[in-house]
Amino acid sequence: MSQTAVINKLGRTSYPERKVALYENLQNLAKSYSVIALCRMTKVRSAQLMAIRKKFKNEIKILTIKNKVAQRAFEQIFNDVKGLEFLNKELEGQCALMFTNLSPFKLNLTFDKNKIFMAAKGGDIAPNELVIPAGNTGINPGPVLSEFKESNVPTKIDQGTIWVSKDTIVAKPGDVISQKLAALLSKLDVKPIEAGVSVNYAIAEGLEFKEKDLKIVVQDYVDELIKSFQEALSLSVEAVYFTKESTPLLLVKAKQHGLSLAVEAGYLSTESVQLVLAKANAVAGSLSQQLSSKGYSPQN
């Protein structure tokens, strides 16, 4: 897009070259990659984003810009990139745009693996049950004892340091963490707040993916695949359908059936002779018992 087109769109008489380049870069990226993801930067530290940029520089292009700039740039290429008009409506708050050829699911899983835990701040919501474990805190006695007391954490002084007497729950899921509790947790190096980048919205080949759509538990899919494989293998064995996986099982099954048939027929072979003799002995023993019950005594 030319600089004139940008100027006309924004209704300006002049526009800095840097802004024009950014505007055009957004459009080129949107056309060049198959996936555009939106990540909201709530509780995402700049250092984390920089680390992700560095680690995935060859796979993911990340831009943090004003929403209005992105929306105006994208409006001009709605016909070129399917689903872009839906993405435009999601640009609210502080966002980062990510351009990649990775699937939205793989992108989200990649970010999940790179999340960290950080110290809580006053006003944060406890994501799960927060427990201060029993043991030596390594903290010297002093005014900090009052912080333990206010959080109902039992303590004792031993060997010149503060010890927590027993495991103590200081917050339940959904509780608001007070400033004082946050300070105490920080002193104890308890980092309960999970932080990192998550894909909140994405478009890929014209399809929309919302945050809930991208939340997948890999182990559940692994379990389903294992179950499906086992069921398919059982079916192929029952149907006598030969594959690389079913052939060993079919051969074992055929051998077992053949051996059972040989035993029933009294056919002697290396594999069946012991089973045939064992069966004959069992039949003879049963017959002997029946004769004895009728008053007949077997002759030696």
Side-chain angles (χ1 to χ4, degrees):
M1 179 177 286
S2 66
Q3 181 176 347
T4 302
V6 175
I7 292 171
N8 290 340
K9 176 61 186 174
L10 298 180
R12 298 173 181 269
T13 56
S14 62
Y15 204 73
E17 288 291 334
R18 184 179 63 82
K19 295 288 186 181
V20 175
L22 175 60
Y23 195 88
E24 294 179 343
N25 185 41
L26 271 170
Q27 295 177 335
N28 291 332
L29 288 171
K31 294 177 183 178
S32 302
Y33 290 90
S34 61
V35 174
I36 306 174
L38 181 154
C39 304
R40 294 193 169 88
M41 294 291 98
T42 306
K43 293 183 180 178
V44 177
R45 296 178 177 178
S46 58
Q48 291 175 265
L49 198 59
M50 288 177 63
I52 289 174
R53 271 200 179 103
K54 183 177 180 180
K55 186 173 182 178
F56 301 103
K57 63 180 180 181
N58 296 323
E59 298 176 277
I60 307 169
K61 302 296 182 183
I62 304 175
L63 289 180
T64 52
I65 59 172
K66 292 182 179 179
N67 294 335
K68 288 296 183 182
V69 174
Q71 288 169 335
R72 288 171 179 170
F74 290 155
E75 283 172 0
Q76 301 302 303
I77 56 171
F78 280 169
N79 293 332
D80 300 317
V81 183
K82 293 181 180 179
L84 200 53
E85 66 273 22
F86 304 127
L87 181 85
N88 252 19
K89 295 176 183 178
E90 297 292 328
L91 285 167
E92 296 178 355
Q94 188 178 1
C95 300
L97 288 170
M98 302 191 178
F99 305 85
T100 181
N101 289 322
L102 297 174
S103 77
F105 298 100
K106 185 173 182 179
L107 185 65
N108 206 40
L109 286 172
T110 299
F111 291 154
D112 280 344
K113 292 177 182 178
N114 285 274
K115 286 188 176 180
I116 63 171
F117 285 89
M118 62 184 187
K121 295 180 180 179
D124 282 342
I125 305 299
N128 43 46
E129 191 173 78
L130 302 185
V131 178
I132 294 180
N136 187 5
T137 67
I139 300 174
N140 295 326
V144 70
L145 281 169
S146 63
E147 296 181 25
F148 283 97
K149 186 175 181 180
E150 289 178 13
S151 297
N152 297 315
V153 179
T155 60
K156 63 181 180 179
I157 308 300
D158 189 8
Q159 300 176 14
T161 58
I162 300 173
W163 289 63
V164 175
S165 302
K166 64 177 182 178
D167 291 351
T168 307
I169 298 172
V170 292
K172 295 182 178 180
D175 286 352
V176 176
I177 299 174
S178 68
Q179 185 65 47
K180 290 184 178 180
L181 177 58
L184 177 61
L185 292 173
S186 180
K187 289 183 176 72
L188 296 171
D189 198 31
V190 175
K191 299 178 179 180
I193 305 301
E194 187 179 49
V197 177
S198 295
V199 178
N200 301 107
Y201 185 88
I203 57 171
E205 299 179 358
L207 299 176
E208 290 184 90
F209 296 91
K210 297 183 179 180
E211 186 172 3
K212 63 179 182 180
D213 301 324
L214 299 172
K215 296 291 184 183
I216 61 175
V217 181
V218 175
Q219 190 57 48
D220 289 347
Y221 283 87
V222 172
D223 293 342
E224 283 295 323
L225 286 172
I226 292 173
K227 180 181 177 182
S228 298
F229 173 80
Q230 291 172 337
E231 290 176 350
L233 186 58
S234 296
L235 180 60
S236 66
V237 170
E238 287 299 316
V240 195
Y241 182 80
F242 286 89
T243 66
K244 179 182 178 181
E245 292 79 14
S246 68
T247 296
L249 297 175
L250 284 167
L251 292 175
V252 171
K253 184 178 180 181
K255 181 180 179 180
Q256 290 172 339
H257 285 180
L259 191 56
S260 296
L261 181 60
V263 172
E264 287 298 318
Y267 179 82
L268 298 178
S269 68
T270 304
E271 291 82 6
S272 68
V273 62
Q274 290 185 345
L275 296 173
V276 170
L277 292 175
K279 181 181 178 183
N281 185 59
V283 171
S286 176
L287 181 59
S288 176
Q289 288 180 356
Q290 292 179 35
L291 290 173
S292 295
S293 67
K294 296 183 181 297
Y296 294 99
S297 178
Q299 297 294 324
N300 291 329

